[in-house]
Amino acid sequence: MKLFADEAWRTTWLYFKESKGGLWGLSFLGIVLFCVVFADLIAPFDPSLQNRSALLLPPIWTEAGHWPYILGTDAVGRDLLSRLIYGARYSMFIGFVVVSLAVIIGTLLGLLAGYYSGWLDTLIMRLMDVILAFPSLLLALGLVAVLGPGLLNAMYAIALVMLPHFVRLTRANVLSEKNRDYVIASRIVGASNRRLMFNTILPNCMAPLIVQATLSFSNAILDAAALGFLGMGAQPPLPEWGAMLAEAREFISRAWWVVTFPGLAILLTVLSINLVGDALRDALDPRMRRS
Amino acid sequence: MFKFILNKIVLIIPTFFGITLAAFLFVRLLPGDPITILTGERGVSPERRAEMVAQLGLDQPLLVQYFNYLLNILQGDFGQSLSTHRPVVEEFFERLPATLELSFFAILIAIILGVPAGIIAAVKRGRWPDHLLMGVALTGYSMPIFWWGLLLIMLFSTQLGWTPVSGRLDIINYYFDPITGFMVIDAWLSGQEGAVKSALRHLILPSVVLSTIPMAVIARQTRSAMLEVLGEDYIRTAYAKGLPTWRVIGIHALRNALITVVTVIGLQIGTLVAGAVLTETIFAWPGVGKWMIDAISHRDYPAVQGGLLFIAMLVMLVNLMVDLMYGWINPRVRDGK
Amino acid sequence: MSLLTVRNLSVAFPTQNGWFQAVEGIYLEVKAGEVVAIVGESGSGKSVAMLAVMNLLPPTARISCDELKLDGQDVLTMPPKQRRQLNGGTVAMIFQEPMSSLNPCFTIGYQIDETLRIHLGGSKKERIERSLHLLDLVGIPDPKRRYQAYPHQMSGGMSQRAMIAMALAANPKLLIADEPTTALDVTVQAQILELLLKLQQTQGMGLILITHDMGVVAETAQQVVVQYAGQQVEKQQVAGLFKTPHHPYTAALLDALPERAPAGDFLPTIPGIVPGQKDRPIGCLFSPRCQHAQALCHEQQPLLQALPSRQAAWLRCHYPLNLTTEAVDG
């Protein structure tokens, strides 16, 4: 199944290129992805290796800092830089899994609701209303409380909390597409319901879904980090950025670097994804193209 | 207008049943036996257990149990906290003012800074003020606010010593009984010199942290709403009438943009509650959010269940109010069209 | 004294493919009590030229002008604040889409009152009285009720009347009406036009009427300017223009009028469309569509020339029609 013609990708890229912010975001994401893939090669240390003779060592450019601990060490003498590099793996993994889950299930439910209408539509949409009635982070927290703290459970919870956005978006698009001439035409020539849903209608609803998926990716990273920070997500000693911040909290008055860098990593990653998302939205929105 | 209000109220009824059902199933779905969950890890004597099963109706069909639960809720009985053995309702409403006070100041800051930023960015579209303001807004939108809070504490409390690290009041120097539960008002009512200042000093960092994401969202949405409105024919008319620019932008354009912006502000309430959980945890702010986190980490399930339900109902109520406000500020909706 | 003097006004807009010349070398003169019609197809730059006069174009537009005087005051050298005060006070404008030209969030009364407050001042009571009088003047029944109405509660015709009331609020000396009846029902069109002319006469205003309807021109205007692709091609008194059009474009427009076409035949049309940014001809802009075009027309742009035998008449054509008895003055 081909969702986009090559031509469509090329035009999208042409418009995407116009956005400086989008290019910056993409470049930083490139660095993060490089860390994800080559963490074993570029990280100077094993992320869980403790050095009892180098506890809470400040970064190298301060007076007390020294080689090879570039960004310093944490309270048990682990190299901060190496932990941040490995941490990129968790953040990207969380974002990817959460968004994939939410997109696949959400799109499916949205397609069903929009295509079949009737009681199925009502049931699905009321269910989504219920999920939306709870503030997302709080509901995720509640779910983690039920499922038990841990990275995987946190990811399921966040995916569930994100579900309604994809369902609503897909349904709205399906509703506006399903009575278009091209859909009716392929119905007349005898296309099956499944074919109509997945091969005819779905590809024409992709643009807003892609944008939503990008923005959800950054939300997933933020929420997972928040859960990690609250002790409900990834558990120490995993070098997940949020969990690292939770550990660093007590050193707030003594060691600024253990607090500053993990948060900065989260901020920059989330920011660059959002920059890409914004640029992508502008590039995919035909209304923006005219000017 | 009356019909409009009625419609909105009718629409939230199924959602109300939905969230109560969700809250009910929340405890039932927990792995393990509800009695253990409701009484805590230490467990109870077999006699007490049998008594509780009968009392909670656990021997009855699930639907009857839900019905009973609903009945209890409607009578204001949300169960008892495991850790304090006090009614969840009491615990919740005791802490609600602290959260409301914090949220109020946060949304105030978000509006005061976010709306003008959005207007300026729209008016200066494509030029440096636009790029600067929207860059800041996107950074704010991407901010992990728990880290942002820690950074501000590090800078303003630890380094500069300007603001206190946590709590709502300097309790060494001031003491007064809560009257409204809102510290700033209580401090003012107490008449103690410097109390209001102390309360505000405690309030400033948490509300700045909590305001960050709503502010960013409000600024971005105000900008796009203004851009849309500024292209309308009636803006040209306003200029043709010879109105000064501030009046065209600040009254004719803003009034129309506000219709969207108010909705956006309303939708931020959910974000605000979620943010309150993090902010209150960082600043040891004794509000609902911190209470929920404590309840979750103590496995105080009745409290979690009741708290979630309360908050969902609160958010629903705010959304209803936003809908009504939308009708009020949009003349076309007001007429029931 | 003339209310409006425009000499050599040009407007260009930036596009992705460079500058687009929307208006080129416009001249205009309007006296008190005079009705001037500007005629042309869509895209001929009629509205843009008048928006430039009103200073209502977006800041990205590039405007150049040798002289622009409103009521004897030089607008080009005026500080922005003073320039703004002319709008609504000395010169007012009404637009094509009355429904979207009124702000949906404010009552009609509020929007009229705003103009009064800025230009005339006076107490709240006096202003309300004047607003009600204005609503009555433009033929809105039950002014007291309409004063508190929102735009969405009124029909298109009523909205345009309200727009006119708003425009007249501060007794402007010149009113620019940009296709004021295009968006309205046919039955309402005549009423609005009639109202405009009645008000123009009783108030002694100058009126610039932008339209693409030659029929409207015949009934209303004293002077007619014909515009094509951003250029003025001909200007004459209305009687002369209808009797002896000199520019082939004017002649073609007149031939397309149902009243003038031979009975029982097809209505003649002008083949082709107004040139856009990319297909602008080198010579006369009308040459690709002109039945009378000759070699020179395709090579060289004709200049705007005065017709000496007639008062204030201009022409932009190499080979004018119906000019047997007089020579064109270079």
Side-chain angles (χ1 to χ4, degrees):
Chain A
M1 186 170 67
K2 200 164 191 179
L3 294 178
F4 256 141
D6 291 345
E7 178 56 30
W9 279 120
R10 206 170 308 128
T11 6
T12 305
W13 170 243
L14 269 178
Y15 285 102
F16 184 93
K17 260 191 341 191
E18 298 284 299
S19 157
K20 252 187 225 159
L23 291 179
W24 274 107
L26 209 57
S27 328
F28 187 80
L29 274 187
I31 299 175
V32 175
L33 281 178
F34 185 80
C35 291
V36 169
V37 177
F38 298 107
D40 300 320
L41 296 175
I42 55 174
F45 292 91
D46 182 290
S48 49
L49 184 75
Q50 305 184 354
N51 181 352
R52 294 285 162 163
S53 62
L55 302 181
L56 285 181
L57 210 61
I60 196 162
W61 58 84
T62 57
E63 251 172 68
H66 62 74
W67 192 260
Y69 298 104
I70 300 175
L71 292 183
T73 59
D74 67 6
V76 289
R78 292 174 296 200
D79 179 48
L80 207 55
L81 179 65
S82 307
R83 286 180 71 74
L84 287 180
I85 290 173
Y86 277 93
R89 282 192 171 170
Y90 289 94
S91 281
M92 287 290 135
F93 172 70
I94 291 165
F96 188 77
V97 173
V98 167
V99 170
S100 307
L101 272 176
V103 166
I104 293 170
I105 301 174
T107 311
L108 205 68
L109 288 176
L111 261 176
L112 290 174
Y115 189 81
Y116 286 112
S117 342
W119 65 268
L120 189 65
D121 180 28
T122 314
L123 181 75
I124 293 175
M125 294 323 284
R126 289 293 84 73
L127 217 68
M128 294 304 126
D129 281 350
V130 171
I131 298 180
L132 276 178
F134 297 95
S136 59
L137 185 70
L138 217 58
L139 183 58
L141 271 170
L143 287 169
V144 174
V146 173
L147 301 168
L151 186 56
L152 272 181
N153 288 343
M155 282 159 57
Y156 296 143
I158 297 169
L160 182 81
V161 166
M162 273 177 182
L163 207 55
H165 299 287
F166 288 99
V167 177
R168 285 188 160 190
L169 197 63
T170 314
R171 176 176 175 271
N173 276 297
V174 170
L175 282 182
S176 75
E177 291 292 324
K178 83 172 173 185
N179 290 321
R180 294 276 178 87
D181 289 345
Y182 71 88
V183 179
I184 295 170
S186 71
R187 191 193 300 273
I188 290 169
V189 297
S192 65
N193 279 335
R194 212 176 69 186
R195 192 180 165 79
L196 279 173
M197 275 197 279
F198 291 99
N199 295 38
T200 314
I201 298 178
L202 185 60
N204 288 290
C205 306
M206 285 314 283
L209 279 172
I210 288 174
V211 174
Q212 179 68 35
T214 319
L215 297 176
S216 298
F217 200 101
S218 60
N219 270 329
I221 293 179
L222 267 186
D223 281 358
L227 289 181
F229 178 74
L230 293 171
M232 297 289 155
Q235 301 294 314
L238 277 193
E240 195 268 338
W241 294 337
M244 283 170 73
L245 270 175
E247 282 181 89
R249 234 185 111 180
E250 55 184 297
F251 304 104
I252 186 166
S253 52
R254 289 197 279 147
W256 57 269
W257 57 95
V258 290
V259 179
T260 308
F261 293 123
L264 202 61
I266 302 173
L267 172 64
L268 289 177
T269 309
V270 171
L271 180 62
S272 40
I273 297 171
N274 284 338
L275 280 168
V276 171
D278 269 11
L280 210 55
R281 187 192 50 209
D282 291 354
L284 286 171
D285 183 357
R287 279 188 311 164
M288 306 290 286
R289 284 185 178 176
R290 268 181 294 144
S291 58
Chain B
M1 186 70 192
F2 179 72
K3 210 178 149 201
F4 174 77
I5 297 176
L6 207 67
N7 267 340
K8 290 288 173 198
I9 292 175
V10 169
L11 270 176
I12 63 170
I13 290 176
T15 317
F16 172 78
F17 284 109
I19 58 175
T20 50
L21 186 63
F24 167 74
L25 290 176
F26 173 73
V27 171
R28 292 298 178 279
L29 287 181
L30 286 171
D33 162 52
I35 296 291
T36 319
I37 291 161
L38 289 176
T39 52
E41 306 267 306
R42 261 167 280 154
V44 285
S45 63
E47 301 85 58
R48 172 82 183 116
R49 168 176 288 268
E51 195 183 311
M52 279 187 75
V53 167
Q55 191 191 341
L56 292 168
L58 291 175
D59 45 356
Q60 284 168 324
L62 214 59
L63 203 69
V64 179
Q65 288 184 34
Y66 170 62
F67 187 72
N68 286 335
Y69 176 68
L70 205 61
L71 226 57
N72 284 341
I73 285 175
L74 292 176
Q75 287 164 356
D77 178 9
F78 286 75
Q80 276 196 353
S81 157
L82 290 185
S83 30
T84 59
H85 300 289
R86 291 173 55 208
V88 170
V89 190
E90 267 179 36
E91 297 252 312
F92 184 85
F93 282 99
E94 205 173 84
R95 290 169 174 85
L96 188 61
T99 301
L100 287 184
E101 186 176 43
L102 178 61
S103 307
F104 173 77
F105 276 90
I107 201 80
L108 202 68
I109 296 173
I111 293 171
I112 288 176
L113 296 179
V115 172
I119 296 173
I120 293 171
V123 172
K124 303 275 177 196
R125 180 188 197 177
R127 277 174 283 170
W128 68 264
D130 182 19
H131 294 308
L132 179 76
L133 288 169
M134 286 305 111
V136 172
L138 195 68
T139 310
Y141 182 68
S142 312
M143 191 63 87
I145 63 165
F146 43 99
W147 174 68
W148 179 225
L150 293 180
L151 268 194
L152 290 182
I153 290 176
M154 223 153 65
L155 183 65
F156 289 105
S157 307
T158 318
Q159 293 286 321
L160 299 170
W162 290 356
T163 54
V165 179
S166 64
R168 298 177 73 189
L169 191 75
D170 182 359
I171 44 172
I172 295 168
N173 293 323
Y174 306 103
Y175 180 78
F176 38 83
D177 286 318
I179 300 169
T180 59
F182 297 92
M183 194 57 83
V184 176
I185 299 175
D186 285 348
W188 182 67
L189 288 176
S190 77
Q192 293 177 34
E193 205 177 322
V196 174
K197 207 176 148 197
S198 167
L200 285 175
R201 268 160 50 93
H202 280 81
L203 193 55
I204 181 78
L205 278 196
S207 37
V208 165
V209 168
L210 187 52
S211 76
T212 307
I213 289 180
M215 189 197 305
V217 175
I218 289 173
R220 278 159 65 88
Q221 296 290 335
T222 304
R223 176 181 181 271
S224 66
M226 281 296 282
L227 280 181
E228 197 143 302
V229 169
L230 284 174
E232 295 282 349
D233 285 350
Y234 51 77
I235 296 302
R236 191 179 57 190
T237 309
Y239 278 117
K241 282 182 355 182
L243 299 183
T245 311
W246 69 264
R247 220 187 139 80
V248 177
I249 291 167
I251 294 188
H252 279 256
L254 187 60
R255 181 64 177 73
N256 283 277
L258 271 187
I259 296 173
T260 344
V261 173
V262 164
T263 316
V264 170
I265 293 173
L267 292 176
Q268 288 312 300
I269 303 299
T271 320
L272 215 58
V273 176
V277 173
L278 293 165
T279 313
E280 289 178 2
T281 307
I282 299 164
F283 290 96
W285 190 265
V288 172
K290 186 166 185 314
W291 175 67
M292 287 284 291
I293 290 293
D294 291 345
I296 289 173
S297 46
H298 295 145
R299 302 183 177 268
D300 186 348
Y301 290 113
V304 177
Q305 182 191 35
L308 272 175
L309 192 57
F310 269 127
I311 290 170
M313 290 200 296
L314 212 67
V315 171
M316 226 162 64
L317 200 71
V318 172
N319 285 342
L320 180 69
M321 270 159 36
V322 170
D323 273 344
L324 298 185
M325 196 141 142
Y326 179 80
W328 178 65
I329 70 169
N330 188 347
R332 274 167 292 194
V333 176
R334 192 162 34 191
D335 285 0
K337 276 200 178 179
Chain C
M1 190 182 67
S2 72
L3 286 175
L4 174 69
T5 311
V6 179
R7 272 206 314 125
N8 199 14
L9 168 73
S10 298
V11 181
F13 292 105
T15 69
Q16 279 183 334
N17 312 305
W19 291 91
F20 171 62
Q21 197 71 40
V23 170
E24 202 177 332
I26 293 289
Y27 292 78
L28 202 61
E29 187 98 35
V30 184
K31 294 193 177 66
E34 192 179 37
V35 181
V36 175
I38 304 179
V39 198
E41 288 168 84
S42 331
S44 60
K46 309 168 297 217
S47 304
V48 174
M50 288 306 108
L51 289 174
V53 168
M54 292 288 289
N55 196 22
L56 292 179
L57 289 174
T60 47
R62 190 173 64 188
I63 304 166
S64 73
C65 193
D66 291 348
E67 187 183 357
L68 182 56
K69 273 189 177 162
L70 268 171
D71 196 25
Q73 303 175 67
D74 186 358
V75 169
L76 294 176
T77 56
M78 206 175 262
K81 199 177 161 195
Q82 204 182 338
R83 166 72 193 87
R84 203 180 54 223
Q85 280 162 350
L86 290 179
N87 273 4
T90 305
V91 53
M93 186 162 181
I94 58 174
F95 303 95
Q96 208 178 104
E97 302 277 349
M99 307 282 256
S100 61
S101 294
L102 287 166
N103 194 322
C105 282
F106 297 103
T107 60
I108 301 298
Y110 180 89
Q111 296 186 53
I112 297 177
D113 188 67
E114 232 180 355
T115 316
L116 289 174
R117 204 164 31 182
I118 286 197
H119 296 289
L120 300 183
S123 72
K124 179 88 192 161
K125 198 165 153 260
E126 286 166 1
R127 296 201 310 262
I128 292 181
E129 233 161 66
R130 173 144 177 87
S131 303
L132 294 176
H133 168 71
L134 282 164
L135 289 174
D136 188 47
L137 195 69
V138 296
I140 291 182
D142 199 357
K144 280 206 175 102
R145 196 164 63 86
R146 293 300 186 185
Y147 185 86
Q148 285 160 21
Y150 283 92
H152 69 271
Q153 295 164 326
M154 316 224 299
S155 66
M158 280 298 149
S159 298
Q160 194 60 298
R161 285 174 195 268
M163 279 293 291
I164 295 172
M166 215 161 81
L168 296 182
N171 292 318
K173 294 179 177 164
L174 175 66
L175 178 65
I176 302 174
D178 184 359
E179 307 211 23
T181 59
T182 309
L184 303 178
D185 288 345
V186 182
T187 46
V188 186
Q189 288 186 356
Q191 293 173 14
I192 293 288
L193 215 58
E194 208 174 295
L195 172 70
L196 269 178
L197 286 174
K198 191 188 90 191
L199 292 169
Q200 178 263 329
Q201 274 154 21
T202 52
Q203 318 268 320
M205 284 185 307
L207 175 64
I208 297 176
L209 190 63
I210 302 174
T211 177
H212 56 251
D213 186 343
M214 273 293 188
V216 169
V217 175
E219 288 166 31
T220 54
Q222 282 117 43
Q223 298 276 337
V224 187
V225 176
V226 182
Q227 208 161 314
Y228 182 80
Q231 291 181 339
Q232 290 175 328
V233 292
E234 181 166 7
K235 186 201 165 195
Q236 276 206 58
Q237 298 278 338
V238 70
L241 185 102
F242 274 79
K243 207 168 108 217
T244 52
H246 297 311
H247 198 283
Y249 179 62
T250 318
L253 277 181
L254 290 171
D255 283 344
L257 277 177
E259 297 90 329
R260 293 169 74 109
D265 237 337
F266 283 109
L267 268 183
T269 52
I270 310 173
I273 50 163
V274 181
Q277 187 183 6
K278 284 177 184 164
D279 51 358
R280 246 173 132 78
I282 308 159
C284 172
L285 294 182
F286 187 58
S287 60
R289 303 172 73 187
C290 184
Q291 291 179 324
H292 310 277
Q294 301 182 28
L296 179 66
C297 301
H298 294 293
E299 285 156 17
Q300 199 184 344
Q301 270 210 16
L303 298 170
L304 198 61
Q305 302 159 321
L307 292 172
S309 60
R310 300 180 188 215
Q311 199 195 351
W314 311 313
L315 186 61
R316 191 194 285 272
C317 185
H318 290 301
Y319 304 103
L321 309 169
N322 311 318
L323 264 186
T324 44
T325 51
E326 51 194 336
V328 177
D329 178 31

